[in-house]
Amino acid sequence: MTRPSTSRAEIHRLARLSPFELKGEFVRLAQTHQDGQKGRSTAHLLNAGRGNPNWVATGPREAFYALGYFGLAESRRVWTADDLGGMPDLPGTGQRFDRWCRSHPALPGVELLRDCVRLGVERFGFDRDAWLHELADAVVGDSYPVPDRMLTHAEQVARGYLAEELMDRRPPAGTMDLFATEGGTAAMCYVFDSLMKNGLLHKGDRIALMVPVFTPYIEIPELEDYEFDVVRVEAGMFAETGVRQWRYPTEEVAKLADPAVKLVCLVNPSNPPSLALSRRVADQIKEIVATSNPNLLIVTDDVYGTFVNGFRSLAADLPRNTLLVYSYSKHYGCTGHRLGLIGLNRDNVVDELIAALPPAEKERLARRYGTLTLEPERLRFVDRLVADSRQVALNHTAGLSLPQQAQLVLFSLFALLPEGKAYKARVQGVVRERLDLLLEGSGMRIADDPQRAGYYVELDLLAEAERTAGADFAAYLEKTYEPTEPLFRLAEQTGVVLLNGGGFDGPQWSVRVSLANLDSLDYLKIGHHLKEIFAEYRREWEAGRG
């Protein structure tokens, strides 16, 4: 191997980009490598940069397609004229569904659909006709979402899913209201926007980020609309020399005790270290809220929670203070569906803070939401999120599309069935096998942690250099090369694409490997390439010493 063709100055300049934009440069270099290797059996671009999984949950999709056929049957029953149908009727939907299932026994997805419908009745106590009518009408997509925040049965199912998967089957007291969104990314945007619109955050306010963290949580606060004063709570603990724990020291978490910190954002399990928050840290945050900073707002993004058995969200431990963001994309392999949720307990600090705003602010908000209700001061924050998502004036057409909500419901119910639990174990096993192969190939060590989700792994190359060859070798790398130089070498000389961990506010010499989007044996190859890169650096260092 040799140094990359990209100059150090250019590497330094490109490092200003978001890791997701810098990835484009790595892909270009890797593609050039692949093109130069054409005709060789080893030519293969290995892009482990993005977290889009390469698995798909097929069962709940089949149930969705089967539901589509039932929905069309219901439509044609009301009105049939060539390609023109009517809007499904409610009375008798349950009996018609039973007859339809009996007449389509071989249709893929019918059996799982029937199980999902049954589970809705047995677990949630749904009226069968109303439940099936909501599903049939949703899959046809013939109406605006009503209620606009989320369909009635859909919300109850999703609430049960979150209690099962993100709250260790022990949800807090009270009711969590849900807003179905176009993926977790839309949920993030809506939360930041509405907190500002409602005077809960102001330009220049102090917020905290628990880092490393998904890059948009870093970049959004820097935008001119926000310009927040950001406090970083850093996961800086080591298990031993050269082996990071990616855990938060007590003194770092203590930064949240400052009442000037109005909001803290975290991804749990973290991205990219992929570790669930420890009980110690969760308890420390609970104590801070109980004593020093009772109005601290918490945004927890728990998209990877399903990859840790027994996972428990801060939304379960601190329901009054926490806005939950969740996406179905990773667990079900459905990034293209754009299925997300915002959750907020009905008894919450956010509404109390709005109620305590100064008279002038209340008057401003009354004008903002006054076209929606004659009592705008009673409009809850979760419903303000919906209105703000459509510039208030389009509130009557807000909400996630009904076919998307139908698929979201079927994903949720699938998880509560034995088939869904078996699926969960399989996808957990997939990422763990890939992590083992990556470590086998690279020879690197990571901390043993039962709370590891394993969807990503963040590897600190400088720490690994110190572990394997001592502090002098690490100092040489830091002095001689840009932190992202190894990524340029990997892309240009091996066709491997990884992301720079510094772009997630991790250590500058760390790299993020997605364990979700390549075949398992590819991670063994990536590990071998990382090992060879390190060997090359070490040879250069030793040659210079001689």
Side-chain angles (χ1 to χ4, degrees):
M1 291 187 181
T2 59
R3 295 195 181 197
S5 59
T6 310
S7 68
R8 182 171 184 176
E10 180 66 1
I11 290 173
H12 181 77
R13 188 181 72 85
L14 289 170
R16 297 199 301 265
L17 294 173
S18 158
F20 297 101
E21 305 307 321
L22 182 57
K23 175 173 64 68
E25 181 66 16
F26 298 149
V27 170
R28 184 188 67 78
L29 291 170
Q31 188 65 56
T32 300
H33 166 81
Q34 185 183 32
D35 292 344
Q37 299 289 312
K38 281 183 177 176
R40 302 187 189 182
S41 60
T42 56
H44 186 32
L45 188 154
L46 299 176
N47 184 353
R50 196 162 190 186
N52 198 117
N54 65 349
W55 60 75
V56 168
T58 56
R61 282 175 167 90
E62 282 188 335
F64 174 79
Y65 298 137
L67 176 62
Y69 280 113
F70 173 67
L72 287 176
E74 286 291 281
S75 174
R76 291 179 174 129
R77 174 186 164 273
V78 174
W79 188 0
T80 301
D82 295 326
D83 289 328
L84 189 151
M87 300 173 77
D89 273 341
L90 188 153
T93 307
Q95 288 184 348
R96 292 193 298 274
F97 177 74
D98 291 338
R99 289 196 298 269
W100 180 85
C101 288
R102 287 194 297 269
S103 62
H104 296 82
L107 184 67
V110 164
E111 185 175 347
L112 181 57
L113 176 61
R114 190 162 41 204
D115 289 343
C116 288
V117 169
R118 173 186 51 77
L119 185 61
V121 174
E122 293 177 357
R123 179 159 179 164
F124 300 101
F126 293 156
D127 175 85
R128 203 159 181 271
D129 281 355
W131 164 223
L132 274 160
H133 178 261
E134 180 178 285
L135 287 174
D137 198 56
V139 78
V140 170
D142 58 8
S143 302
Y144 291 112
V146 179
D148 47 19
R149 182 160 51 78
M150 196 169 185
L151 295 176
T152 303
H153 298 87
E155 182 179 18
Q156 293 180 65
V157 169
R159 190 182 295 132
Y161 168 76
L162 295 177
E164 178 96 5
E165 294 296 334
L166 301 188
M167 300 179 181
D168 196 23
R169 303 180 186 177
R170 295 177 290 119
T175 300
M176 174 177 277
D177 290 315
L178 300 178
F179 173 23
T181 62
E182 304 87 345
T185 51
M188 290 171 58
C189 295
Y190 296 159
V191 166
F192 277 108
D193 183 58
S194 284
L195 288 173
M196 293 286 286
K197 290 288 195 305
N198 283 276
L200 301 170
L201 289 178
H202 299 88
K203 198 170 182 177
D205 275 352
R206 183 170 297 169
I207 72 166
L209 299 177
M210 300 188 76
V211 298
V213 72
F214 184 43
T215 305
Y217 284 104
I218 301 167
E219 296 175 346
I220 289 174
E222 295 174 348
L223 295 174
E224 61 181 10
D225 294 345
Y226 306 103
E227 294 181 352
F228 293 140
D229 175 19
V230 177
V231 174
R232 284 165 170 77
V233 178
E234 299 182 5
M237 294 176 69
F238 280 81
E240 58 183 270
T241 300
V243 181
R244 283 188 176 270
Q245 276 190 319
W246 301 110
R247 290 298 184 186
Y248 301 98
T250 301
E251 61 271 20
E252 285 291 308
V253 181
K255 294 175 180 178
L256 303 179
D258 179 3
V261 176
K262 293 187 174 182
L263 169 74
V264 59
C265 298
L266 68 152
V267 177
N268 184 25
S270 52
N271 176 5
S274 208
L275 298 174
L277 204 65
S278 70
R279 189 73 259 159
R280 171 184 60 81
V281 172
D283 286 343
Q284 186 180 356
I285 296 173
K286 286 171 65 177
E287 180 65 19
I288 286 170
V289 169
T291 56
S292 309
N293 198 355
N295 291 330
L296 177 67
L297 301 180
I298 301 168
V299 173
T300 183
D301 185 336
D302 294 352
V303 60
Y304 306 104
T306 54
F307 291 86
V308 176
N309 290 326
F311 176 81
R312 186 164 177 82
S313 170
L314 280 180
D317 288 334
L318 287 165
R320 280 178 39 78
N321 295 70
T322 305
L323 283 152
L324 171 67
V325 170
Y326 179 70
S327 168
Y328 288 75
S329 62
K330 303 303 194 294
H331 185 69
Y332 296 97
C334 64
T335 53
H337 271 286
R338 316 311 298 140
L339 303 178
L341 295 168
I342 299 173
L344 179 62
N345 197 284
R346 202 164 290 175
D347 174 21
N348 65 80
V349 168
V350 187
D351 286 330
E352 291 177 1
L353 291 173
I354 292 174
L357 288 170
E361 274 291 86
K362 289 183 179 179
E363 184 178 340
R364 177 183 68 83
L365 292 173
R367 289 194 301 271
R368 178 175 180 82
Y369 301 111
T371 58
L372 305 182
T373 171
L374 296 178
E375 297 179 298
E377 69 280 0
R378 299 183 63 180
L379 192 67
R380 293 177 299 144
F381 181 72
V382 71
D383 294 311
R384 296 175 188 227
L385 281 164
V386 180
D388 293 338
S389 76
R390 298 298 184 270
Q391 295 294 303
V392 182
L394 290 166
N395 181 73
H396 62 289
T397 60
L400 185 66
S401 83
L402 299 189
Q404 286 173 285
Q405 292 196 48
Q407 182 67 88
L408 181 154
V409 164
L410 293 171
F411 281 141
S412 299
L413 291 168
F414 174 69
L416 305 178
L417 291 167
E419 299 94 324
K421 298 184 188 305
Y423 169 87
K424 178 180 178 179
R426 281 195 293 272
V427 295
Q428 288 179 345
V430 166
V431 295
R432 286 167 188 165
E433 177 189 44
R434 294 171 180 179
L435 176 59
D436 289 343
L437 288 167
L438 175 72
L439 297 176
E440 178 185 337
S442 66
M444 294 183 177
R445 288 179 57 188
I446 62 173
D448 185 24
D449 197 317
Q451 294 293 95
R452 184 179 299 280
Y455 195 90
Y456 306 104
V457 65
E458 185 165 9
L459 301 172
D460 187 339
L461 302 185
L462 212 58
E464 177 68 9
E466 183 176 359
R467 184 183 77 84
T468 56
D472 289 347
F473 179 40
Y476 163 80
L477 290 177
E478 197 167 19
K479 179 181 178 180
T480 310
Y481 304 103
E482 291 296 312
T484 55
E485 208 260 8
L487 299 178
F488 282 86
R489 284 201 191 197
L490 277 169
E492 186 172 335
Q493 298 168 11
T494 72
V496 169
V497 175
L498 307 179
L499 295 190
N500 54 309
F504 298 82
D505 265 8
Q508 289 300 308
W509 276 81
S510 64
V511 298
R512 185 186 89 158
V513 185
S514 167
L515 299 165
N517 63 329
L518 295 173
D519 292 338
S520 293
L521 288 177
D522 288 334
Y523 291 94
L524 184 64
K525 298 174 188 175
I526 291 172
H528 287 315
H529 289 312
L530 275 169
K531 189 173 186 177
E532 178 54 30
I533 284 281
F534 251 89
E536 180 67 21
Y537 281 128
R538 188 163 180 173
R539 286 192 290 270
E540 292 171 8
W541 172 58
E542 290 173 344
R545 295 170 74 197

